[in-house]
Amino acid sequence: MFAADLLIAQNIAFYVMAAIIIGAAIRVVTVKNMVHAALWLVVVLAGIAGQFILLASEFIAITQVLVYIGAVIILFLFGIMLTRAPMGETEEFDNSPRMRISAVAIGGFLLVVLGYSVWDGVRDQQFDTITVQQTTDVADSIIGPYVVPLLMVAVLLTAALIGAVVLARRD
Amino acid sequence: MFVNQFLFLAAVLFSIGVYGVLARRNAVLVLMSIELILNAVNINLVAFGTQLNDVSGQVFALFIIAIAAAEVGVGLALVIMLYRNRRSIDIDEIDLMKG
């Protein structure tokens, strides 16, 4: 249960973080230095973890930090280093300007369609009372009704990791 | 707070990710853009889960995080193999199966 003044603070936090996320996301897709792109991605992922905390979903926020910022970014940095990406700024990461203009058109069209359908479908629904979703509830749900998908994810992860080792090893 | 706030943020992130997939030529940068798209979906799931006070949204977001991690692992292994065979990860040059 949040009082109205707390909601104002939440709104401010939301808009500040949203601005940071969108700015950093634009940098990820436009910056000319690959390592910088990976580091801007860290900013995006951390901001999204903050949004999860605003949505009172603590476990997913911590998982976001551990898995994405902790593991996925390291994988990306290793990928950048192992493929000997040109360090410093180059133009060779981007497609030709004509391709980029059509990419902007497609992205903008998608944004308009998604934005309109979101606005039309949800209108001005509010979060009435935000109750914290405890980690114990998540655990009960994963081990309870979602145990079969959990086991499938375990099998998938094993298969993916064995596949990655087989693909990447030198023989 | 409006539910729409989060959904719009997710829509913007999704569109930026799609732009990145289309405009980038380097395979690792394309994978990064795919991460942006997956994260946008996660925001939607968690927002609806909080609105409906249902923990399923978080559970689905967790599964997506796990699958995204697997995808990055396999994707980067493929990219490294590609680099080893062709000395380049420019996806414009991968046209072996082009008719």
Side-chain angles (χ1 to χ4, degrees), chain A residues 22 25-26 111 114, chain B residues 6-18 40:
Chain A
I22 290 170
I26 290 172
L111 182 62
L114 280 175
Chain B
F6 291 93
L7 303 186
F8 277 129
L9 172 66
V12 172
L13 262 184
F14 190 94
S15 305
I16 293 174
V18 169

Side-chain angles (χ1 to χ4, degrees), chain A residues 12-150:
Chain A
I12 293 170
F14 171 85
Y15 285 114
V16 170
M17 280 196 289
I20 293 172
I21 290 173
I22 290 170
I26 290 172
R27 301 286 290 168
V28 170
V29 294
T30 55
V31 81
K32 304 245 178 289
N33 185 324
M34 243 170 123
V35 179
H36 289 185
L39 297 179
W40 281 112
L41 190 62
V42 173
V43 177
V44 176
L45 298 172
I48 290 172
Q51 302 286 16
F52 288 157
I53 288 176
L54 268 188
L55 286 167
S57 307
E58 48 187 26
F59 183 64
I60 196 101
I62 294 168
T63 313
Q64 172 95 2
V65 173
L66 286 178
V67 174
Y68 270 116
I69 303 176
V72 169
I73 292 293
I74 301 294
L75 269 180
F76 274 126
L77 289 174
F78 267 107
I80 291 169
M81 285 188 285
L82 288 175
T83 53
R84 298 213 191 124
M87 291 295 146
E89 303 199 347
T90 52
E91 294 286 334
E92 63 186 80
F93 299 141
D94 288 321
N95 275 320
S96 62
R98 234 180 84 232
M99 288 281 287
R100 267 184 287 165
I101 289 169
S102 52
V104 168
I106 291 170
F109 174 72
L110 201 60
L111 182 62
V112 170
V113 171
L114 280 175
Y116 176 74
S117 54
V118 162
W119 177 80
D120 193 46
V122 184
R123 299 276 168 162
D124 50 356
Q125 292 178 34
Q126 302 220 18
F127 296 104
D128 35 359
T129 51
I130 295 182
T131 46
V132 176
Q133 297 186 327
Q134 307 269 355
T135 306
T136 47
D137 301 334
V138 180
D140 283 345
S141 189
I142 289 180
I143 305 294
Y146 290 108
V147 71
V148 176
L150 175 75

